[in-house]
Amino acid sequence: MNRRLGRQAGGLLALLLLACNCLAAPAVSELLEQAETLRSSDPARFDALLTQVSQRKQELSSAQGQQLAYLQAYRLAFAGDYDNAIPRLKNLIADSPDSDTRFRAGALLVNIYTKSRQFADGLRQLGDTLVHIDQVHNSDIRTHGLIEAAYIHNEVGQYRLGLHYAERLLAAELPPRTRCFAEYLRYDAMQNLAVLPTSDAPMEEAIRTCESIGEVVLVNYVRTTLARKWVAERKRDAAIVLLQRHLPEVERARYPFLTVQFKSLLGELMFEKGDMAAADSYASETVALSSAVGNTYALVSAYRTLYQVAERRRDDETALVYYRRYAEADKAYLNEVKARELAYQIVRQETLEKSQQIQRLDSQNQLLQLQRKLELKSGQNTRLIIVLLVLLLASIAFWAYRTKRTQISFKRLAETDALTGACNRSHFTQRAERLLAQAGRTGEEVALVMFDLDHFKNINDRHGHAAGDWVLRRVVELGRGLSRKVDLIGRLGGEEFAMLIYACDLPSATRVADECRARIAALDSRETGHVFTATASFGIASTAQGGLELARLMSLADRMLYRAKHEGRNRICVYEGGYGLTDHSAPASNDGLVEETSPPRKPTDAGVERLGT
């Protein structure tokens, strides 16, 4: 009996303890609300709250279960695990009966596609999401969709649209967290449009707004923009102090996209200040983090800093390695920027075509209805039916013609470089391989000339990108003036070009390259409003020595080009197989850019040196 009483007492005690625990534990609705508030400001606490809610799944209502599913997808996205976040959000969009939840999941999906550089998918998802904005009851969720619209348009280079969406948000009364997002997006767009306010006060106010709610990521994005503004205003030391003071909290946030921006900018500024050790450290840390964020401008900046540091230390071998990585990263980044712009144009065209298709279907449906009515009438209306059918066929023919023209336009866009009109790398490669195959059948010799503008970045930095674009266009014009219809000229990326000259031996190709080199050096830049001299370095290879394989010819010509760069620039290096390497050069200018007070002078020719293979 005593044992039975003891067991009963123990059971009562356990029930009392359970009841106390239930009374002490917060409700799942409170936990979800806390998680919503802390999801981007305190990632560690956010993870802990989601774990607690997941352990109490049996207490969740259907709506709370969907809210938990959204927050779990958000956590995966914040950590960069997009492969697992995307299917969860698609399931929410497909299965949730709640329009607010579907809209919210769609907006986050737009954010993920933007972060993972899937811009076409992101823009399509944005269109599918915003079309339902009038069905959303929660104003905060509606503003979330507008925030993502501003964000993705900033990322694809449509900064005016991004600024439009951000200012549309800021015109209304917003909670602090939403205002923080909108302020960040506004200043990001304004920075890229070069229309930031002259006073620091508005940006400092935005920083205080984000600080007040603990939004570590967003407040430091705004600080990055403010630091870049200070750098442009020659307040470098103030920018360094600002970035270094807040770098520890950025690292604690564990958000690699923001971390690489901080560290790459610090690397640039420390190099300018002369602190080589710090510049090397920040740039190296940026490169180490690049695998988590992909090819961004921060990676390009980091490699440029490492190359400059090695060059300053007179470590030529390391400098060359980092210069090549910098060049590769820069080309990849420029290609990605073009891909973003192309994605926007493609989706815009798709949207237009869908709208036109709906209009066509509506027209066809109306015509069919009329036809059915006319079939009930007497034969006196037969002629009217024939007229309507002819109009329908004419409409279909017209839209078929428009579609064909659109396809031709896209084909041209895919094959040419938008700035210069030369072949892009992909189209140049395809045509060059066909020419080499033809040369193999006819026995003709073909020469490949690759050239790269020397210190082109200095022109952009000192005189602006408009002057740099002018140089790129003039270089292609000069190349075309020296080419025949059968020859090819292409822009391989950035400031690097190539010419494939059919039925041409090495001496002839060298003369063409030397004429091109001289004409580039003789360009009169005064029409740009600036006076400077541009030069280029050339590498030449021929099928007589390198064979008919394009990859090998490009490799040989590229080696000669890098040698021309290494030997002082503004020169030509020729691969001659067993006969050696010819170097035909002109004296290099100071840093590849010469300021002039009189019209540019035609460069002089230099000697020839040979190096066996």
Side-chain angles (χ1 to χ4, degrees), residues 20 133 228 284 395 469 494 496 528 545 607:
C20 290
I133 193 169
R228 293 188 184 280
S284 297
S395 175
D469 291 347
E496 186 175 359
T528 68
Q545 289 77 30

Side-chain angles (χ1 to χ4, degrees), residues 90-160:
K90 287 183 175 179
N91 289 338
L92 267 179
I93 294 171
D95 300 338
S96 176
D98 180 53
S99 59
D100 285 18
T101 300
R102 293 195 302 271
F103 186 88
R104 194 182 192 198
L108 180 55
L109 197 52
V110 172
N111 181 277
I112 291 174
Y113 281 138
T114 307
K115 286 284 195 310
S116 58
R117 304 297 190 265
Q118 301 176 62
F119 296 105
D121 289 335
L123 289 165
R124 293 187 190 103
Q125 183 62 50
L126 179 66
D128 293 342
T129 301
L130 289 185
V131 75
H132 301 295
I133 193 169
D134 292 335
Q135 302 171 16
V136 178
H137 304 95
N138 188 309
S139 60
D140 290 342
I141 294 177
R142 283 199 299 272
T143 58
H144 182 195
L146 296 175
I147 283 171
E148 296 305 338
Y151 175 51
I152 194 170
H153 281 102
N154 278 1
E155 288 298 300
V156 298
Q158 301 298 315
Y159 299 110
R160 295 197 182 280

Side-chain angles (χ1 to χ4, degrees), residues 75-361:
R75 175 170 59 179
L76 291 170
F78 192 87
D81 188 358
Y82 303 137
D83 290 339
N84 285 315
I86 288 174
R88 294 189 181 212
L89 292 169
K90 287 183 175 179
N91 289 338
L92 267 179
I93 294 171
D95 300 338
S96 176
D98 180 53
S99 59
D100 285 18
T101 300
R102 293 195 302 271
F103 186 88
R104 194 182 192 198
L108 180 55
L109 197 52
V110 172
N111 181 277
I112 291 174
Y113 281 138
T114 307
K115 286 284 195 310
S116 58
R117 304 297 190 265
Q118 301 176 62
F119 296 105
D121 289 335
L123 289 165
R124 293 187 190 103
Q125 183 62 50
L126 179 66
D128 293 342
T129 301
L130 289 185
V131 75
H132 301 295
I133 193 169
D134 292 335
Q135 302 171 16
V136 178
H137 304 95
N138 188 309
S139 60
D140 290 342
I141 294 177
R142 283 199 299 272
T143 58
H144 182 195
L146 296 175
I147 283 171
E148 296 305 338
Y151 175 51
I152 194 170
H153 281 102
N154 278 1
E155 288 298 300
V156 298
Q158 301 298 315
Y159 299 110
R160 295 197 182 280
L161 279 173
L163 184 59
H164 163 75
Y165 280 113
E167 291 185 335
R168 177 178 168 183
L169 282 164
L170 291 166
E173 288 293 329
L174 299 173
R177 187 171 185 275
T178 305
R179 176 164 292 277
C180 178
F181 269 103
E183 293 280 16
Y184 151 62
L185 292 167
R186 175 171 69 171
Y187 290 122
D188 183 45
M190 293 177 74
Q191 180 186 35
N192 285 282
L193 292 170
V195 293
L196 282 172
T198 54
S199 171
D200 295 341
M203 297 181 71
E204 290 172 346
E205 177 62 27
I207 288 172
R208 286 191 292 271
T209 298
C210 295
E211 278 183 325
S212 68
I213 56 172
E215 281 292 346
V216 176
V217 173
L218 295 175
V219 71
N220 283 294
Y221 267 127
V222 180
R223 285 183 181 128
T224 305
T225 304
L226 180 59
R228 293 188 184 280
K229 176 178 181 289
W230 285 351
V231 171
E233 295 171 349
R234 302 182 184 277
K235 300 177 183 177
R236 182 189 62 207
D237 291 340
I240 291 174
V241 170
L242 177 67
L243 294 171
Q244 287 183 332
R245 181 190 306 151
H246 297 284
L247 180 58
E249 69 184 65
V250 168
E251 292 177 323
R252 286 194 299 272
R254 297 180 297 174
Y255 193 57
F257 288 93
L258 175 61
T259 307
V260 297
Q261 285 202 28
F262 254 62
K263 291 191 174 182
S264 66
L265 181 54
L266 277 169
E268 290 180 25
L269 298 178
M270 287 308 204
F271 176 80
E272 292 176 7
K273 189 176 182 180
D275 190 341
M276 297 300 109
D280 186 286
S281 175
Y282 285 127
S284 297
E285 290 172 9
T286 301
V287 171
L289 287 169
S290 63
S291 60
V293 297
N295 194 16
T296 63
Y297 179 76
L299 179 61
V300 176
S301 169
Y303 276 131
R304 182 175 62 238
T305 300
L306 290 171
Y307 151 67
Q308 292 172 330
V309 168
E311 191 176 48
R312 184 71 61 85
R313 291 171 173 171
R314 302 186 182 279
D315 186 350
D316 294 338
E317 183 176 353
T318 303
L320 181 58
V321 170
Y322 280 128
Y323 181 82
R324 288 180 176 175
R325 293 179 183 174
Y326 156 64
E328 292 169 358
D330 189 44
K331 290 177 187 176
Y333 175 71
L334 289 174
N335 288 338
E336 182 174 318
V337 170
K338 292 177 184 175
R340 296 181 191 186
E341 295 172 353
L342 182 59
Y344 173 77
Q345 296 299 332
I346 289 173
V347 174
R348 184 181 179 188
Q349 184 64 29
E350 287 176 356
T351 304
L352 178 62
E353 289 181 356
K354 284 181 181 178
S355 175
Q356 292 170 346
Q357 185 178 14
I358 291 171
Q359 292 176 6
R360 291 198 301 271
L361 291 172

Side-chain angles (χ1 to χ4, degrees), residues 329-500:
D330 189 44
K331 290 177 187 176
Y333 175 71
L334 289 174
N335 288 338
E336 182 174 318
V337 170
K338 292 177 184 175
R340 296 181 191 186
E341 295 172 353
L342 182 59
Y344 173 77
Q345 296 299 332
I346 289 173
V347 174
R348 184 181 179 188
Q349 184 64 29
E350 287 176 356
T351 304
L352 178 62
E353 289 181 356
K354 284 181 181 178
S355 175
Q356 292 170 346
Q357 185 178 14
I358 291 171
Q359 292 176 6
R360 291 198 301 271
L361 291 172
D362 287 343
S363 299
Q364 291 173 6
N365 186 47
Q366 292 173 11
L367 289 173
L368 290 173
Q369 290 177 2
L370 285 174
Q371 186 178 358
R372 285 194 296 269
K373 290 179 180 179
L374 289 171
E375 287 173 353
L376 301 175
K377 293 183 179 181
S378 63
Q380 64 181 357
N381 294 323
T382 303
R383 286 177 295 178
L384 178 59
I385 296 174
I386 294 173
V387 170
L388 290 173
L389 290 174
V390 168
L391 288 175
L392 174 61
L393 292 174
S395 175
I396 293 173
F398 171 74
W399 289 115
Y401 169 74
R402 287 288 302 273
T403 301
K404 185 65 177 177
R405 289 197 60 182
T406 300
Q407 291 173 346
I408 293 172
S409 174
F410 274 114
K411 184 175 183 295
R412 186 181 300 111
L413 182 63
E415 292 178 349
T416 59
D417 173 59
L419 176 64
T420 64
C423 294
N424 61 25
R425 188 183 191 100
S426 175
H427 189 52
F428 178 86
T429 301
Q430 293 173 3
R431 290 190 59 189
E433 288 176 345
R434 289 198 294 268
L435 275 179
L436 290 172
Q438 180 180 335
R441 292 190 295 271
T442 60
E444 295 285 356
E445 184 175 353
V446 179
L448 176 65
V449 178
M450 293 180 66
F451 59 100
D452 189 291
L453 296 176
D454 299 324
H455 295 298
F456 181 71
K457 180 182 179 298
N458 290 344
I459 295 177
N460 282 330
D461 289 348
R462 297 185 187 181
H463 306 294
H465 286 277
D469 291 347
W470 177 86
V471 173
L472 294 173
R473 288 192 293 269
R474 290 305 308 275
V475 166
V476 171
E477 291 173 8
L478 293 176
R480 285 183 175 143
L482 295 170
S483 303
R484 303 161 298 176
K485 287 186 177 181
V486 72
D487 300 331
L488 293 177
I489 181 168
R491 183 182 178 194
L492 303 185
E495 63 271 21
E496 186 175 359
F497 301 85
M499 295 173 62
L500 193 75

